[in-house]
Amino acid sequence: MSAVEVPNTQPIDGRLLAGAEFTRQLAARQRRGRLWARFFSLSTVVAVVALITLLLSIINDAFGFVISTYRVDPTTLAPDGNLELLSNEELAALLPERRLGAYLRDNLSVVPPTEFPSVPLGQALPGAILPPGVAEKTFAETTVEERRSILANNLNVDLLASLVELDVVSEDVRETYTLIESLFERDRIEREYEEKFGGASATDTVKYFRSWLSLDFITAPQASSPEVAGIRTAILGTVWIMAITVVFSFIVGVGAAIYLEEYATGNNPLERFIETNIRNLAGVPSIIYGLLGLAVFVRVLEGITQGRTILSASLTMGLLVLPVIIINAQEALRAVPSSLREASFGLGATRWQTILRTVLPSAMPGILTGTILAMSRAIGETAPLIVIGASTTIFVDPSSVVSKFTALPIQIYDWTRRPQDDFRSIAAAGILVLLVLLIGLNATAIILRQRIRRSLQS
Amino acid sequence: MSATNSGSAYSFELKDMNVYYSDKLAVDSVTLSIQARKITAFIGPSGCGKSTVLRALNRMNDLIPGAKVTGDVRFMGRNLYDPNVDPVEVRRRIGMVFQKPNPFPKSIYDNVAYGPRLLGIRQKSTLDDIVENSLKSAFLWDEVKGDLKKSGLALSGGQQQRLCIARTIAVEPEVILMDEPCSALDPIATQAIEDLMLELVKKYTIVIVTHNMGQAQRVSDFTAFYSIRKAAEADGIERRWGLLVEYAPTEQLFSRPTSEETERYIRGEFG
């Protein structure tokens, strides 16, 4: 035999377990492990159940039977009650005479509402197509036909249809039922319909299954009545805000991250102080950013931002997500192997060339993911927007960075506060729209990241 | 300052060079001259500062916060650490190949064209030429010419290291520093790199750090042996630094070392 000693496999002095005792103890150890594993899987189940409940309760509110009354039955106005089949002139002719002035004032006039009756229309409605001779007249001097003609020529067909819907057809949802009620309590709904509203024999009442989330809901502008209110104004507001927020916070955030990671030495006490406090800023409640935005962007910089506008909201949101973007970008930059930096420097690259050609391309998937995650935080933020004063009663789409605006979470918040059931239903539909946007955003992040990662590797 | 003695046989002349990391001495008083168009090997135990000296030769240490070089370091007669010398120019003229192959996560073509593009070369035909010549000089052309768009990371370890050498050659340096270029490679890939070095030395000065004494004997003309010194500080913490023990033609250093420490190291009785 060789001189190599076989290690002793016996317990050295009996302190370590062996034989049956060991087997018993092992079983106990395995049991403890299985118990923990069960706890972990239970935690996952709780989370999944909570998410499903949330989604179901929203869907429950967004679809279901409604019982409505009409002032004018829409089937008497247009084939199948579909107002969109009518022309501008036909729709304008349906509008109630006493409201014509209000339509002009609210939708076309650029002068303050109190001055509208006394100013010549050419001045109150600049750029509008007016019948001959009307420009010099004040509103009171025009004929009803001229007023209808101005509306027909200057408002788009969707708006006219929604005005007819609102003031002529004037659907009033009297009862709403949730999806669960609609599916499982058909008899009760039918009975209530018969008893309270006279059932199918009543001419001005109708019961139908309504999907509150519909193409109309998405494309119609915000309105004060839930039957015709849509979410377009809020979607556009959110899109505007997010677009400016992402540009502002990406440029500033990635810039700061590059400075902190690639230029700052880290030995300087001031730099360390900044680093630490960026992390603290990421944890500051969003309402504080709202207060900051109100003080700085809405008040002090009013000359630039024009007050409570998309620009103010975007800059506030930009500040809110800036720490998150900086931290994520820093981590992405730190994850770039130093061997790549050395390779670049070793070939005679300057620091900026190294950053631009090697560090940034490698860090980009991480930076983009962080940015989009920050955006999905921002898209649902409500508090800062409330503080800086988003309007909830705005019916015109935003058209520039200094437009007044509303946004999805604001609109949803406003609707959920109303006591009527039908507002709860459009709030649910609004939440579904917000969720779809959110999922879309996250999906974009994943696709983008995969695509860049693949292009780096092959 | 002009290269006063460009006709000199020496690429580098070091005199009393010290390197400090955060005020701690890392390499003590190195004095040596490195011959042009020869291969000089740095050997010695781990922690003896041979890589630190190598990285001082193209100012790679500048990238480490707190690193400082004192003494006289001349390249072609010119002080490398003169305030008027831009390290970017230094690194372009003195290329470097690292221990672990580190191609960029880009195509083979883009890896080699990286350096020329830094210098502002945009013309496709010029770049094509440089890429082809560099890959040929690095003995890699025949293996990759069919698919230059393939990622550099898709190559084998030995091919990656030759790609890194091609990338270095592409900026036409005068010196190539190699920091243990074969330590991550198998013997066959190592053989290929050694053959390549013997070819490259016809045009370039090569300085190589190696743990493999066989490699130093096979390829180098001169060998520098570094070692470690230790001292106990007042607070009981041990302080270590490296220094140059012996520098001689390779054949002489391995057959008739003057220092006993060198002799013990090359016999394998050290570190």
Side-chain angles (χ1 to χ4, degrees):
Chain A
M1 281 295 287
S2 70
V4 176
E5 273 184 47
V6 176
N8 187 356
T9 52
Q10 292 304 306
I12 297 164
D13 56 7
R15 277 184 296 186
L16 298 180
L17 300 177
E21 222 177 329
F22 172 81
T23 317
R24 211 164 34 248
Q25 193 235 18
L26 178 63
R29 273 166 30 198
Q30 295 283 25
R31 214 162 34 241
R32 272 202 296 280
R34 274 195 296 274
L35 214 61
W36 278 109
R38 213 164 296 154
F39 169 72
F40 297 141
S41 66
L42 203 67
S43 308
T44 316
V45 169
V46 168
V48 170
V49 166
L51 276 176
I52 291 176
T53 313
L54 174 81
L55 201 61
L56 285 183
S57 85
I58 295 168
I59 291 174
N60 191 30
D61 278 342
F63 306 92
F65 277 111
V66 295
I67 298 172
S68 293
T69 57
Y70 298 111
R71 200 182 298 147
V72 176
D73 188 347
T75 51
T76 63
L77 302 176
D80 291 337
N82 192 348
L83 295 172
E84 273 147 34
L85 297 176
L86 301 178
S87 70
N88 284 27
E89 285 71 22
E90 286 169 316
L91 287 166
L94 291 172
L95 291 170
E97 205 176 304
R98 63 189 167 75
R99 298 275 295 146
L100 298 178
Y103 298 146
L104 288 171
R105 187 189 64 211
D106 295 344
N107 294 300
L108 292 168
S109 166
V110 295
V111 297
T114 51
E115 290 173 25
F116 177 72
S118 56
V119 168
L121 289 180
Q123 191 185 332
L125 319 172
I129 306 164
L130 299 175
V134 167
E136 291 77 34
K137 295 184 187 172
T138 65
F139 176 71
E141 293 162 348
T142 54
T143 65
V144 172
E145 280 62 42
E146 283 167 341
R147 295 170 190 174
R148 288 193 197 280
S149 156
I150 300 172
L151 288 169
N153 286 323
N154 294 292
L155 296 186
N156 65 38
V157 68
D158 289 344
L159 184 55
L160 287 168
S162 74
L163 291 175
V164 171
E165 191 112 29
L166 190 65
D167 290 342
V168 182
V169 174
S170 197
E171 180 186 3
D172 183 10
V173 174
R174 304 286 293 274
E175 290 288 343
T176 61
Y177 298 95
T178 64
L179 185 59
I180 291 174
E181 288 171 331
S182 305
L183 291 176
F184 301 111
E185 299 179 48
R186 291 286 289 272
D187 295 346
R188 181 170 70 82
I189 296 171
E190 205 63 49
R191 213 168 44 240
E192 282 185 13
Y193 182 45
E194 289 295 333
E195 287 167 7
K196 286 197 204 161
F197 302 97
S201 57
T203 50
D204 59 345
T205 312
V206 65
K207 173 180 78 77
Y208 64 102
F209 187 87
R210 177 159 181 152
S211 163
W212 292 91
L213 177 65
S214 63
L215 201 60
D216 277 345
F217 175 71
I218 293 168
T219 55
Q222 152 71 341
S224 51
S225 142
E227 289 83 0
V228 294
I231 201 146
R232 187 182 74 200
T233 321
I235 293 178
L236 289 173
T238 289
V239 168
W240 270 95
I241 294 171
M242 285 301 121
I244 300 169
T245 300
V246 75
V247 170
F248 167 72
S249 59
F250 184 81
I251 293 173
V252 177
V254 176
I258 290 176
Y259 178 78
L260 290 171
E261 280 305 307
E262 304 292 324
Y263 290 94
T265 54
N267 297 330
N268 182 329
L270 179 66
E271 283 163 6
R272 271 204 300 275
F273 177 80
I274 292 172
E275 285 247 24
T276 316
N277 281 288
I278 286 172
R279 274 159 204 280
N280 291 336
L281 279 179
V284 169
S286 58
I287 196 155
I288 309 286
Y289 284 97
L291 293 171
L292 175 79
L294 180 67
V296 177
F297 300 126
V298 177
R299 302 237 194 282
V300 178
L301 297 179
E302 196 180 354
I304 301 166
T305 62
Q306 309 287 311
R308 303 169 189 279
T309 56
I310 286 180
L311 189 57
S312 299
S314 304
L315 294 174
T316 308
M317 284 294 195
L319 286 189
L320 171 73
V321 298
L322 200 54
V324 182
I325 292 186
I326 294 177
I327 291 169
N328 278 310
Q330 271 186 291
E331 252 141 47
L333 291 170
R334 210 172 299 151
V336 177
S338 60
S339 64
L340 288 184
R341 287 193 185 81
E342 285 191 331
S344 177
F345 280 120
L347 291 169
T350 62
R351 188 171 289 275
W352 170 236
Q353 285 178 317
T354 300
I355 293 170
L356 185 69
R357 289 159 191 251
T358 295
V359 179
L360 273 184
S362 294
M364 209 32 95
I367 292 177
L368 286 181
T369 313
T371 306
I372 296 180
L373 289 181
M375 286 304 116
S376 41
R377 177 180 171 196
I379 199 172
E381 277 295 347
T382 322
L385 293 183
I386 291 174
V387 177
I388 68 163
S391 333
T392 48
T393 49
I394 194 160
F395 305 126
V396 282
D397 296 337
S399 55
S400 75
V401 294
V402 291
S403 296
K404 300 266 178 286
F405 69 97
T406 180
L408 281 172
I410 290 289
Q411 206 57 64
I412 293 164
Y413 169 70
D414 181 57
W415 284 337
T416 51
R417 284 189 315 158
R418 311 280 188 97
Q420 300 96 319
D421 282 350
D422 31 9
F423 275 110
R424 205 182 57 210
S425 296
I426 55 172
I431 292 170
L432 287 176
V433 171
L434 183 61
L435 285 180
V436 168
L437 273 184
L438 202 63
I439 292 169
L441 212 55
N442 286 342
T444 317
I446 293 167
I447 292 168
L448 214 62
R449 190 178 55 194
Q450 296 300 339
R451 193 161 289 174
I452 294 180
R453 196 163 285 172
R454 220 174 311 139
S455 76
L456 278 176
Q457 270 159 7
S458 62
Chain B
M1 201 190 287
S2 65
T4 46
N5 47 353
S6 51
S8 150
Y10 295 119
S11 274
F12 292 98
E13 288 156 289
L14 278 58
K15 198 155 173 288
D16 295 329
M17 184 191 76
N18 300 303
V19 184
Y20 298 86
Y21 289 133
S22 319
D23 296 326
K24 289 205 176 66
L25 184 66
V27 179
D28 183 22
S29 192
V30 172
T31 299
L32 86 170
S33 299
I34 292 171
Q35 294 234 13
R37 297 211 161 78
K38 298 281 181 208
I39 299 178
T40 302
F42 289 179
I43 62 169
S46 294
C48 69
K50 53 195 187 302
S51 287
T52 301
V53 173
L54 190 79
R55 295 165 73 93
L57 297 182
N58 72 341
R59 299 194 57 173
M60 252 352 221
N61 281 333
D62 289 19
L63 302 175
I64 301 167
K68 196 178 77 183
V69 175
T70 63
D72 201 32
V73 184
R74 289 183 179 275
F75 171 62
M76 310 294 280
R78 181 176 165 186
N79 183 0
L80 269 188
Y81 285 84
D82 189 288
N84 296 324
V85 171
D86 189 335
V88 170
E89 187 205 340
V90 172
R91 295 187 202 118
R92 185 253 150 132
R93 293 176 64 182
I94 306 170
M96 189 155 203
V97 176
F98 298 86
Q99 182 171 0
K100 202 169 154 273
N102 57 352
F104 298 115
K106 301 172 189 285
S107 69
I108 294 169
Y109 185 97
D110 288 339
N111 261 283
V112 182
Y114 190 92
R117 280 179 177 147
L118 293 175
L119 299 170
I121 295 175
R122 293 272 172 280
Q123 215 184 347
K124 178 107 176 48
S125 56
T126 316
L127 286 175
D128 287 350
D129 247 26
I130 294 174
V131 169
E132 182 175 343
N133 287 333
S134 306
L135 286 171
K136 277 178 177 161
S137 303
F139 296 168
L140 191 59
W141 176 251
D142 290 334
E143 293 160 58
V144 300
K145 64 184 171 194
D147 198 1
L148 294 176
K149 286 203 165 61
K150 198 163 75 167
S151 169
L153 295 172
L155 298 173
S156 74
Q159 289 175 320
Q160 287 189 15
Q161 198 60 298
R162 276 178 283 148
L163 177 63
C164 292
I165 293 172
R167 184 174 71 181
T168 305
I169 296 171
V171 289
E172 296 173 2
E174 290 149 59
V175 179
I176 302 175
L177 306 177
M178 297 186 173
D179 190 357
E180 298 182 44
C182 303
S183 66
L185 305 183
D186 64 45
I188 293 169
T190 301
Q191 174 74 50
I193 301 276
E194 286 179 9
D195 292 346
L196 176 57
M197 284 166 67
L198 292 171
E199 194 60 35
L200 291 175
V201 75
K202 292 173 187 163
K203 285 174 72 184
Y204 307 97
T205 305
I206 294 177
V207 185
I208 175 176
V209 166
T210 179
H211 270 293
N212 179 338
M213 279 182 283
Q215 183 169 61
Q217 281 177 284
R218 286 192 295 273
V219 299
S220 73
D221 303 294
F222 296 89
T223 299
F225 170 65
Y226 294 82
S227 187
I228 306 172
R229 291 290 175 269
K230 302 171 188 172
E233 294 265 280
D235 51 7
I237 295 168
E238 194 184 62
R239 209 161 56 82
R240 305 159 139 250
W241 69 94
L243 82 175
L244 176 64
V245 174
E246 187 166 354
Y247 178 47
T250 301
E251 209 267 308
Q252 181 188 328
L253 187 121
F254 279 93
S255 57
R256 303 181 300 281
T258 53
S259 149
E260 197 185 319
E261 200 176 355
T262 314
E263 193 181 347
R264 271 189 292 140
Y265 183 76
I266 61 183
R267 281 212 318 261
E269 293 172 8
F270 189 106

